């Protein structure tokens, strides 16, 4: 029998501040699920950690549903992601605030440098599902992103997903 799994869902109300357009946020149901993570409970030991994340399809205005994003506090500790279902974008930003993206599609693998902030956006019509693997002692700095955001945002445009 496998380990117990902790399920954590972020609703629109939980992540409203990450979206550009507050009017678009207020026009949607604050209880709408944006993403859910499934992971074994943390043990407090330095060990390999993993989770599966499901980002729902949808937009807030023209901005795709996305995760909050974070830096790792230990920059020597990266992260590994494998896309299992759907299409999306891994949005990456360095400490100088240069921002770019990597396409996520079934089977894509993303080996993230621990010095980069990262967040994931679902750019497709079905749930985006990906597996994350990291060292439990990497530390997560959500506060810097909450305060400063990413230098560019991913929008739905006639030409497809576009960073602006």
């Amino acid at each position: 029998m496998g380990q117990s799994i902790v399920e954590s869902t972020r609703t629109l109300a939980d992540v409203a501040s990450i979206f550009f357009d507050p009017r678009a946020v207020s026009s949607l149901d604050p209880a709408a699920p944006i993403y859910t993570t499934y992971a074994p409970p943390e043990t407090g030991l330095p060990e390999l950690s993993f989770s599966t994340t499901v980002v729902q399809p949808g937009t807030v205005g023209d901005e795709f549903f996305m995760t909050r994003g974070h830096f790792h506090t230990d920059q020597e500790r990266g992260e590994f992601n494998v896309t299992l279902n759907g299409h999306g974008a891994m949005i990456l930003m360095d400490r100088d605030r240069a921002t770019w993206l990597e396409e996520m599609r079934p089977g894509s693998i993303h080996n993230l440098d621990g010095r980069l902030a990262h967040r994931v956006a679902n750019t497709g019509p079905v749930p985006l599902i990906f597996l994350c693997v990291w060292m439990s002692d990497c530390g997560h700095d959500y506060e810097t992103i909450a305060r400063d955001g990413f230098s560019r945002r991913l929008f739905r445009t006639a030409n497809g997903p576009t960073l602006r």
Side-chain angles (χ1 to χ4, degrees):
M1 180 177 272
Q3 293 179 306
S4 62
I5 297 296
V6 177
E7 179 179 333
S8 176
T9 297
R10 301 284 183 210
T11 65
L12 180 59
D14 296 327
V15 298
S17 64
I18 68 175
F19 293 101
F20 176 72
D21 184 352
R23 277 186 307 150
V25 170
S26 67
S27 72
L28 299 173
D29 179 1
I34 303 299
Y35 67 96
T36 303
T37 58
Y38 302 88
E42 294 181 16
T43 65
L45 301 171
E47 61 188 358
L48 204 55
S49 293
F50 57 93
S51 70
T52 301
T53 300
V54 179
V55 183
Q56 295 301 320
T59 58
V60 176
D62 285 326
E63 207 168 4
F64 296 102
F65 282 5
M66 62 184 152
T67 63
R68 294 183 296 165
H70 61 271
F71 280 105
H72 290 180
T73 56
D74 182 342
Q75 296 182 19
E76 298 300 315
R77 298 284 197 202
E79 186 173 304
F80 187 78
N81 292 267
V82 179
T83 308
L84 304 173
N85 185 72
H87 288 84
M90 176 72 64
I91 305 167
L92 303 164
M93 182 178 73
D94 65 22
R95 294 278 179 177
D96 293 327
R97 302 192 50 78
T99 302
W100 65 97
L101 62 81
E102 294 180 1
E103 179 186 4
M104 297 176 76
R105 63 190 180 290
S108 66
I109 298 170
H110 306 271
N111 188 5
L112 306 181
D113 186 306
R115 295 170 293 200
L116 301 177
H118 44 282
R119 77 170 16 143
V120 171
N122 183 345
T123 62
V126 301
L128 173 65
I129 304 172
F130 60 99
L131 170 71
C132 299
V133 181
W134 68 96
M135 284 300 295
S136 62
D137 60 355
C138 71
H140 293 91
D141 173 8
Y142 290 98
E143 292 76 29
T144 298
I145 299 305
R147 183 186 66 237
D148 302 333
F150 276 64
S151 63
R152 297 169 71 193
R153 296 176 169 278
L154 185 63
F155 291 97
R156 176 184 59 193
T157 71
N159 296 322
T162 303
L163 275 177
R164 290 192 247 170

